[in-house]
């Protein structure tokens, strides 16, 4: 009882003091918070003042927004469509408030939509996409879509009236989303590719999934189309006014009949690109003379298909300027194919690749390459023996009586060297040929300006190789040597920079 009487007066005396101290602490804390807020505002004002003093801040909004558009402009390709983008507009808007306000009100910045395998944990992506499209306003849309979400694809298809340049990498089962769309009034470039891992079309609930019967390729659906890439399973190739608008046609895989049909339909076509040619069946197409074609690319070609396609020839392209042929199997007919190539009086660029290392007769290669006097660029990746004979033919004639000067207009020469077999062009042979071609001693008018040498099978060029070219009189020739070792180092550097 005595102790309680002693404690109570002490509590009664100290409680007001503690409460007053607590109030003072809270007030001091509030004051400090206000001071921190004031200092933060001062820091923001200082940063804003510094930004205003920078030269770029003195630019008018119209000029700055134009710079933004150039930074965010994606790369385009006549075959693949929309490529990578240098800077995303979100990065520009994160620099400062002024840039954010300007970027968010510049609708053209948001007219490019690139969706490439978004992260699985990316939340609210559909909402972000909807907001992105809303910021684009009425701007025509350029789209690169490689995601695996039919929901995102369905959201994109709600705005097909604004599609202008669209590249899509889809699974077969996503075709039903595209088939719902029937009108693309602004679309100029359309590229549809199918995932390699996608299953073949299957029937589900009475519906056939796949792009085989995708019925949008007509003038009513695509009134402004000029560039088109279609996948392997496309079968609805019918005469239509749409084909007369096309300037570039590309296809993942096509057959002999399909090539002839497309060239017959698209009379104003300038570029035809086939990534793979199927074996042909019984088909007797009429001869197609296509005077507007400027570029022809045929990859993964069986020599039998090539002989049938160009040997007769069923296709005539008198004004062709750029030709690429990559043969993976068989032995081409040298006589008939050389007749086709010899008829190309306007051909400037020729790329030929032949992977059959067991071919012992390279005459067809020489008949092709050495009888095109109009060539200015030549890129060859052929058998070792054919390469050796080609280098020898382009070198200094062995006899002073020889009057033949092959490829007199050649400016750029690229060769892939195979040094694993017995018959191969040595570095000494190539150096002597390049020295002669660029020396001014040959009777032709133009001279070789650049040479690119790939060593395909050994890991790197030897010191003797470099010594050979250093001692050769190459004049002003721009020489580049690339081997597997340097390529692997380049890939390692790229990988390291991305980590």
């Amino acid at each position: 009882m005595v102790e309680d009487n002693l404690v109570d007066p002490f509590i009664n005396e100290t409680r007001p003091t503690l409460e007053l101290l607590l109030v003072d602490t809270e007030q001091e804390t509030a004051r400090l918070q206000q001071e921190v807020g004031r200092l933060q505002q001062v820091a923001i004002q200082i940063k804003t003042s510094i930004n205003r003093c920078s030269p770029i801040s003195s630019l008018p909004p119209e000029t700055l927004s134009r710079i933004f558009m150039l930074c965010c402009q994606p790369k385009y390709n006549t075959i693949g469509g929309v490529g990578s983008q240098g800077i995303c507009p979100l990065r520009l808007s994160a620099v400062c408030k002024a840039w954010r306000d300007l970027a968010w009100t510049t609708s053209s910045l948001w007219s490019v939509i690139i969706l490439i395998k978004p992260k699985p944990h990316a939340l609210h992506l559909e909402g972000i996409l909807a907001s992105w499209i809303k910021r684009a306003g009425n701007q025509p849309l350029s789209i690169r879509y490689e995601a695996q979400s039919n929901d995102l694809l369905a959201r994109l298809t709600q705005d097909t009236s604004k599609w202008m340049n669209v590249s899509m990498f889809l699974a077969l089962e996503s075709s039903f989303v595209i088939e719902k769309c029937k009108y693309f009034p602004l679309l100029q470039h359309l590229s549809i590719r199918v995932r390699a891992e996608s299953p073949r079309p299957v029937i589900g609930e009475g519906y056939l999934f796949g792009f085989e019967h995708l019925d949008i390729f007509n003038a009513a659906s695509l009134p402004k189309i000029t560039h088109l890439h279609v996948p392997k399973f496309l079968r609805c190739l019918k005469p239509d006014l749409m084909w007369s608008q096309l300037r570039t046609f590309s296809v993942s895989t096509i057959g002999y009949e399909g090539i002839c049909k497309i060239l017959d339909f698209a009379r104003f076509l300038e570029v035809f690109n086939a990534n793979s040619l199927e074996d042909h069946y019984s088909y007797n197409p009429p001869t197609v003379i296509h005077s507007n074609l400027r570029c022809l690319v045929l990859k993964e070609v069986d020599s039998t298909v090539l002989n049938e396609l160009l040997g007769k020839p069923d296709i005539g392209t008198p004004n062709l300027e750029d030709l690429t042929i990559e043969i993976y199997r068989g032995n081409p007919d040298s006589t008939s194919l050389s007749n086709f190539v010899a008829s190309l009086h306007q051909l400037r660029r020729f790329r030929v690749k032949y992977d059959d290392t067991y071919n012992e007769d390279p005459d067809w290669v020489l008949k092709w390459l050495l009888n095109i006097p109009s060539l200015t660029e030549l890129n060859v990746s052929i058998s070792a023996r054919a390469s050796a004979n080609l280098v020898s033919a382009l070198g200094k004639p062995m006899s002073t009586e020889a009057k033949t000067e092959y490829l007199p207009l050649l400016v750029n020469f690229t060769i892939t060297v195979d040094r694993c077999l017995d018959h191969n062009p040595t570095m000494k042979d190539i150096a002597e040929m390049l020295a002669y071609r660029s020396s001014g001693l040959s009777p032709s008018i133009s001279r070789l300006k650049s040479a690119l040498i790939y060593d395909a099978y050994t890991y790197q060029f030897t010191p003797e190789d470099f010594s050979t070219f250093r001692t050769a009189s190459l004049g002003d020739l721009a020489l580049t040597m690339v081997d597997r070792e340097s390529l692997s180092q380049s890939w390692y550097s790229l990988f390291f920079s991305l980590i």
Side-chain angles (χ1 to χ4, degrees):
M1 191 69 177
V2 175
E3 292 180 356
D4 291 342
N5 293 334
L6 294 174
V7 172
D8 288 343
F10 177 77
I11 294 177
N12 294 333
E13 291 178 1
T14 57
R15 177 176 294 175
T17 305
L18 292 174
E19 291 177 349
L20 182 61
L21 179 62
L22 181 61
V23 171
D24 293 341
T25 303
E26 291 177 348
Q27 292 177 348
E28 182 66 17
T29 301
R31 188 186 67 79
L32 291 175
Q33 290 177 345
Q34 292 178 355
E35 183 65 16
V36 170
R38 186 186 69 81
L39 293 176
Q40 289 177 341
Q41 292 295 326
V42 171
I44 293 175
Q45 293 175 1
I46 293 174
K47 290 181 180 180
T48 302
S49 300
I50 294 175
N51 290 336
R52 289 174 179 174
C53 293
S54 62
I56 196 170
S57 298
S58 63
L59 296 176
E62 297 80 6
T63 303
L64 190 57
S65 63
R66 179 60 180 169
I67 294 175
F68 286 177
M69 287 186 286
L70 292 175
C71 291
C72 297
Q73 184 71 20
K75 297 179 180 178
Y76 292 95
N77 183 280
T78 55
I79 302 298
V82 182
S84 59
Q85 190 178 30
I87 296 179
C88 175
L90 289 176
R91 294 183 62 185
L92 292 175
S93 61
V95 173
C96 64
K97 183 178 183 302
W99 281 30
R100 181 168 58 254
D101 293 341
L102 180 59
W104 282 31
T105 57
T106 305
S107 58
S108 56
L109 288 181
W110 310 95
S111 63
V112 179
I113 302 173
I114 298 180
L115 290 171
I116 303 177
K117 297 181 180 179
K119 301 296 183 182
H121 59 269
L123 302 176
H124 311 299
L125 198 54
E126 295 178 38
I128 295 174
L129 178 60
S131 175
W132 195 294
I133 295 175
K134 182 178 180 181
R135 289 178 192 166
N138 295 323
Q139 293 289 327
L141 298 178
S142 294
I143 301 171
R144 183 183 177 189
Y145 178 85
E146 297 184 12
Q148 300 184 27
S149 170
N150 287 337
D151 293 335
L152 292 177
L153 183 60
R155 179 61 188 87
L156 287 175
T157 56
Q158 295 179 14
D159 299 273
T160 58
S161 62
K162 297 191 294 183
W163 285 11
M164 183 180 68
N165 190 331
V166 177
S167 305
M168 293 187 168
F169 192 30
L170 305 173
L172 286 173
E173 56 269 21
S174 300
S175 63
F176 75 97
V177 182
I178 303 297
E179 287 184 350
K180 294 179 181 179
C181 310
K182 293 297 182 181
Y183 187 47
F184 309 83
L186 302 179
L187 194 57
Q188 299 176 9
H189 189 141
L190 175 62
S191 174
I192 300 177
R193 294 178 296 148
V194 176
R195 296 186 182 279
E197 68 272 14
S198 297
R200 294 297 299 268
V202 295
I203 296 179
E205 300 181 357
Y207 189 83
L208 179 65
F209 295 102
F211 294 93
E212 186 170 3
H213 303 286
L214 185 59
D215 190 21
I216 63 172
F217 304 107
N218 55 75
S221 297
L222 301 166
K224 293 188 177 182
I225 192 72
T226 57
H227 300 76
L228 178 63
H229 176 91
V230 294
K232 174 179 180 180
F233 301 112
L234 185 67
R235 293 291 183 270
C236 51
L237 301 179
K238 303 176 183 178
D240 190 274
L241 291 176
M242 181 205 73
W243 299 105
S244 63
Q245 302 172 164
L246 280 186
R247 298 299 179 266
T248 298
F249 179 80
S250 175
V251 61
S252 298
T253 301
I254 195 170
Y256 182 7
E257 179 180 358
I259 293 178
C260 295
K261 280 187 176 181
I262 294 299
L263 293 180
D264 189 33
F265 296 162
R267 303 305 300 184
F268 296 96
L269 196 66
E270 297 176 358
V271 177
F272 184 98
N273 184 302
N275 292 332
S276 177
L277 260 66
E278 291 180 332
D279 293 341
H280 70 284
Y281 301 99
S282 56
Y283 177 66
N284 295 314
T287 300
V288 179
I289 305 298
H290 202 295
S291 58
N292 291 304
L293 197 65
R294 297 293 186 271
C295 178
L296 176 62
V297 178
L298 303 175
K299 298 181 179 180
E300 293 189 18
V301 188
D302 184 283
S303 61
T304 303
V305 178
L306 191 66
N307 291 337
E308 290 292 330
L309 186 64
L310 303 180
K312 294 182 181 178
D314 290 325
I315 298 175
T317 55
N319 296 315
L320 197 67
E321 298 177 357
D322 194 323
L323 176 62
T324 298
I325 297 179
E326 297 183 1
I327 305 170
Y328 74 95
R329 183 176 61 189
N331 190 15
D333 181 2
S334 60
T335 303
S336 59
L337 294 179
S338 62
N339 290 336
F340 168 76
V341 173
S343 66
L344 305 177
H345 303 294
Q346 305 298 324
L347 194 63
R348 298 290 183 266
R349 293 167 293 278
F350 192 10
R351 288 173 290 274
V352 56
K353 182 178 180 181
Y354 188 45
D355 292 334
D356 191 350
T357 57
Y358 299 101
N359 178 32
E360 295 298 331
D361 181 14
D363 289 344
W364 66 272
V365 178
L366 300 181
K367 288 183 179 179
W368 273 23
L369 302 181
L370 301 181
N371 292 290
I372 316 175
S374 58
L375 274 189
T376 60
E377 298 182 22
L378 177 60
N379 186 325
V380 294
S381 178
I382 51 183
S383 65
R385 183 178 176 185
S387 298
N389 290 353
L390 176 62
V391 170
S392 176
L394 292 177
K396 187 175 181 180
M398 299 300 294
S399 173
T400 56
E401 298 179 358
K403 300 297 183 183
T404 303
E405 179 67 21
Y406 296 115
L407 308 184
L409 303 181
L410 193 62
V411 175
N412 301 313
F413 180 62
T414 301
I415 182 172
T416 300
V417 182
D418 176 1
R419 295 192 287 178
C420 291
L421 304 177
D422 296 334
H423 302 285
N424 63 80
T426 64
M427 292 298 108
K428 181 176 180 295
D429 296 330
I430 296 178
E432 291 179 352
M433 183 272 288
L434 296 179
Y436 171 70
R437 297 291 303 180
S438 60
S439 63
L441 299 177
S442 61
S444 57
I445 299 174
S446 297
R447 297 292 180 266
L448 198 66
K449 299 300 181 184
S450 67
L452 178 60
I453 304 174
Y454 283 96
D455 191 343
Y457 296 97
T458 59
Y459 279 100
Q460 59 184 347
F461 290 103
T462 65
E464 291 76 13
D465 294 334
F466 291 106
S467 176
T468 298
F469 286 99
R470 278 196 297 267
T471 57
S473 301
L474 300 180
D476 296 330
L477 180 73
L479 175 65
T480 304
M481 301 168 65
V482 181
D483 54 36
R484 292 177 61 185
E485 182 70 18
S486 61
L487 284 175
S488 63
Q489 290 177 356
S490 298
W491 279 109
Y492 175 79
S493 300
L494 176 62
F495 176 75
F496 183 79
S497 66
L498 293 176
I499 294 179

